[in-house]
Amino acid sequence: MSAQVEASTVNAGQLFSNSYFYIPDFQRPYSWTVKDEVTDFWRDLSETIETPPYFLGLLIVTTEREDQEEKTVVDGQQRLVTLTLLASALRAAALARGKKLVADSLRDMFLLGLDYETEEWHHKITFSADADRSTYEWLVGTKDVIKPEVPNALMVASHKFLAERIEEDLKANDDSVRLAKWARLLSNGLTFARFDHPDRNAAYKVYEVVNTRGKDLTPADLIKGYALGTASSDVSLSARARWAALEEPFRLLDASAQFTQFIRHVITLRHGYVLPRDLYQIITRRYEGSAGVDRLLLELEESLGLYIRLIDPSVDSDLADDIGTSFVILQSLGLSTVRPAFLAIATLDEHQEALRRLVQIVVTRIVAESFGTGSVERRFADAARDIFLEQDWRGPLENLLDLMPRQRDFEEGLAESQSKGVLLVIRSSVLQTSALPQIHGYLHQVRPKNSERWMDFSDKEFTAIGNTIGNFFISEIERRPRGTNNPQAVQERLLTTRVREEIVSESDFPWTPQTVEAFNSHIASTASQIWYA
């Protein structure tokens, strides 16, 4: 037997068609509850039925028993068992509707395998624990299996819950069509990341790497397990050290949650848009074997410094000024979905005009429209790939120009409420007459929400106009001084902290809604000339 771990991505139908599974004595009994895990499991699958595939997570198995077809489950038993309970419930629903072929297919694929020599049925999952084994055989087995005296109550409740949800779902839709969709989802639309190990000790090495004491596994954890498990034995220690070096900067910045996003964005530069749920599959397919893992680590290492600067532009580096400026703008906007495009342009020898054009597209879009759709992110991601691979920005960015709103829509968007980060970027651009402004200072409202003695600016008027750009100014200080919530205090103690370029001054008082509207109009007109130049 090979001592090398085998890692693969496999759909649930293939997984169960070709294997039997054994839940050993060191595993806990079935313990998912209807209140928590089973409800989440049902919700995820029912929401995915129209848009598969769905990634079910990590499965770690080893072959320790004499029957080579039977895999001992080290991690993943709760998901495996619950999936087959759902298959059992779906099979019962198919039989009740006279769909015997569908029911038989679900039985043969997920629940029972026929021994052709003895003509006996064998369960696809067997258990060392008596209560789990007898309960499972009663729930999903043949008709002659009787109810155990002491069943696993959680398993019984899960099966009942899933059967009820299936019935409700089928009755709420076209029974036959919906039944077929469920059968296809279970057979072809669910995937596992499967790790096959030569023995239990080897399996636990990767299990310990990717499991973090009850915390949910992230795609980065799964990729880490794949990388360390796939690296050849002579470089495994080096791979572990290199992976730790990749994680360390994120930990120091308290940004560990962004590590998966970093991996995804680096992959985007080579392969275009990647759905988060597809990241593991893409990596295991495109970075196969020890050589593939080495290439993956190298690509991540090459982009690490730039990406850390994207997360925290204050980190010291030798980046060109315009790259650093664009990174600060992106951080102020709070828009991580377009990071790959900034990464790609930062690799170009001549990048200043490209950065100005990219920031122009991003800022005008975020002011007037939404970045919430996956199709927009996909277009920026594919443009990033083209820029990175071709080392030319003109064509890819020209293809994005249709994402810019009309100039009028941009001006109207500036008269509405925007996030403080967007307002800071726009106001800085107006003060500096630049589409790549230096971002410094802090945004404060002139007339705050909770004010005193502001006779010419009512609360009702503030609700309508108080959060627009005309009611803000940029200050040198981060925290607003206490007590500066009335006109006199704002004039005497707050506006004196404004940055040198700021156009608002004490002479603009009395501060009224008409004053704000006048500034809105002026800023919108000036910003429009800058961003549409």
Side-chain angles (χ1 to χ4, degrees):
M1 180 185 298
S2 171
Q4 177 66 48
V5 59
E6 296 181 7
S8 61
T9 302
V10 60
N11 69 50
Q14 294 171 329
L15 179 72
F16 278 91
S17 294
N18 300 321
S19 301
Y20 290 80
F21 298 97
Y22 173 69
I23 311 300
D25 53 8
F26 61 80
Q27 290 280 19
R28 60 179 176 170
Y30 182 81
S31 57
W32 272 15
T33 65
V34 168
K35 179 181 177 182
D36 296 316
E37 296 90 351
V38 182
T39 295
D40 291 341
F41 178 85
W42 167 259
R43 182 179 62 248
D44 289 347
L45 267 60
S46 60
E47 291 177 351
T48 305
I49 190 170
E50 299 291 349
T51 57
Y54 179 77
F55 183 51
L56 278 171
L58 178 68
L59 176 65
I60 301 178
V61 297
T62 182
T63 304
E64 292 187 339
R65 294 160 65 85
E66 292 182 1
D67 185 349
Q68 294 299 304
E69 290 185 346
E70 190 168 58
K71 304 294 184 180
T72 298
V73 178
V74 175
D75 188 36
Q77 67 134 330
Q78 305 291 336
R79 279 163 286 138
L80 284 179
V81 174
T82 307
L83 177 60
T84 58
L85 294 179
L86 177 59
S88 174
L90 190 62
R91 177 192 175 215
L95 288 172
R97 289 161 175 79
K99 302 291 185 179
K100 188 174 184 304
L101 290 178
V102 175
D104 288 350
S105 176
L106 290 168
R107 177 200 63 196
D108 297 345
M109 185 174 294
F110 292 100
L111 306 177
L112 300 169
L114 181 64
D115 186 322
Y116 291 103
E117 293 182 1
T118 64
E119 296 187 352
E120 295 179 347
W121 291 105
H122 294 278
H123 291 86
K124 290 296 183 81
I125 301 179
T126 57
F127 303 77
S128 62
D130 290 339
D132 278 14
R133 182 180 64 255
S134 58
T135 304
Y136 187 79
E137 291 177 355
W138 169 58
L139 292 173
V140 308
T142 54
K143 293 182 179 180
D144 57 350
V145 179
I146 61 174
K147 181 179 180 179
E149 294 183 4
V150 185
N152 181 318
L154 293 178
M155 192 183 295
V156 174
S158 296
H159 187 268
K160 181 174 183 290
F161 170 82
L162 293 170
E164 291 172 349
R165 297 292 84 76
I166 281 289
E167 282 297 324
E168 292 173 359
D169 186 75
L170 294 179
K171 290 176 181 177
N173 298 279
D174 184 312
D175 274 29
S176 297
V177 173
R178 193 69 170 182
L179 182 67
K181 287 184 177 180
W182 272 109
R184 281 196 293 269
L185 177 68
L186 266 62
S187 301
N188 303 312
L190 306 177
T191 61
F192 286 91
R194 173 174 170 170
F195 289 72
D196 284 80
H197 297 263
D199 56 56
R200 185 186 299 187
N201 290 335
Y204 263 98
K205 287 181 182 178
V206 169
Y207 176 78
E208 290 169 357
V209 165
V210 299
N211 266 297
T212 52
R213 297 189 178 183
K215 295 181 181 179
D216 291 336
L217 292 173
T218 67
D221 294 323
L222 299 176
I223 294 164
K224 178 180 180 179
Y226 168 75
L228 301 188
T230 305
S232 58
S233 57
D234 58 331
V235 298
S236 60
L237 289 177
S238 172
R240 185 183 296 269
R242 292 171 70 184
W243 193 275
L246 290 169
E247 292 177 317
E248 181 67 5
F250 291 86
R251 186 188 65 80
L252 293 176
L253 290 176
D254 196 23
S256 297
Q258 298 193 52
F259 188 59
T260 296
Q261 194 174 54
F262 160 64
I263 299 173
R264 178 174 168 238
H265 286 166
V266 172
I267 298 303
T268 294
L269 293 182
R270 276 85 178 174
H271 306 292
Y273 182 66
V274 179
L275 283 169
R277 68 186 184 193
D278 295 337
L279 179 60
Y280 176 85
Q281 290 95 321
I282 291 291
I283 286 178
T284 55
R285 291 171 185 169
R286 295 184 180 270
Y287 298 85
E288 291 184 312
S290 186
V293 168
D294 182 70
R295 180 163 49 88
L296 170 65
L297 291 171
L298 182 61
E299 291 174 3
L300 294 174
E301 289 162 348
E302 288 175 347
S303 295
L304 179 63
L306 269 178
Y307 203 87
I308 291 299
R309 183 70 187 271
L310 267 173
I311 294 174
D312 185 359
S314 66
V315 173
D316 290 335
S317 72
D318 56 358
L319 290 178
D321 290 342
D322 51 355
I323 295 177
T325 296
S326 69
F327 285 7
V328 174
I329 291 173
L330 186 60
Q331 183 193 45
S332 299
L333 297 176
L335 192 64
S336 62
T337 55
V338 296
R339 283 178 182 171
F342 283 81
L343 283 177
I345 289 177
T347 67
L348 302 178
D349 292 332
E350 297 181 2
H351 44 252
Q352 185 171 16
E353 178 60 21
L355 287 171
R356 190 194 67 80
R357 182 66 59 85
L358 176 60
V359 171
Q360 179 187 38
I361 297 170
V362 170
V363 169
T364 56
R365 176 82 185 188
I366 203 172
V367 166
E369 300 188 40
S370 171
F371 262 91
T373 61
S375 61
V376 174
E377 181 183 1
R378 178 186 294 274
R379 292 192 59 188
F380 276 96
D382 289 343
R385 174 201 57 202
D386 294 342
I387 293 169
F388 181 80
L389 295 179
E390 298 169 10
Q391 287 293 288
D392 182 28
W393 60 270
R394 289 168 180 81
L397 289 192
E398 285 178 4
N399 291 334
L400 296 179
L401 288 178
D402 65 296
L403 294 177
M404 288 183 65
R406 295 180 305 171
Q407 195 165 348
R408 180 179 176 182
D409 293 336
F410 172 75
E411 294 177 8
E412 291 177 352
L414 283 178
E416 300 174 354
S417 177
Q418 300 282 348
S419 72
K420 292 187 73 172
V422 172
L423 295 181
L424 180 60
V425 170
I426 293 294
R427 197 166 186 104
S428 298
S429 74
V430 169
L431 298 183
Q432 300 170 39
T433 321
S434 172
L436 276 178
Q438 298 288 328
I439 306 298
H440 63 271
Y442 306 90
L443 209 62
H444 293 294
Q445 289 175 320
V446 179
R447 195 284 200 193
K449 180 178 181 180
N450 300 313
S451 65
E452 295 177 357
R453 299 188 298 279
W454 217 294
M455 304 301 295
D456 300 319
F457 205 148
S458 69
D459 289 345
K460 182 178 180 180
E461 290 168 324
F462 178 87
T463 300
I465 203 170
N467 288 314
T468 59
I469 195 168
N471 190 43
F472 287 85
F473 78 102
I474 301 178
S475 167
E476 297 280 6
I477 61 174
E478 181 176 5
R479 297 180 64 85
R480 188 186 187 104
R482 296 186 63 179
T484 54
N485 54 356
N486 63 76
Q488 182 178 354
V490 168
Q491 285 179 284
E492 296 177 354
R493 298 172 51 207
L494 184 60
L495 284 181
T496 55
T497 69
R498 64 186 181 274
V499 297
R500 181 174 54 83
E501 305 94 340
E502 183 55 68
I503 55 178
V504 172
S505 69
E506 297 89 339
S507 64
D508 294 305
F509 279 68
W511 193 263
T512 66
Q514 291 72 34
T515 311
V516 173
E517 288 176 348
F519 273 110
N520 277 341
S521 178
H522 171 70
I523 292 171
S525 176
T526 305
S528 180
Q529 296 175 34
I530 294 170
W531 291 99
Y532 283 82

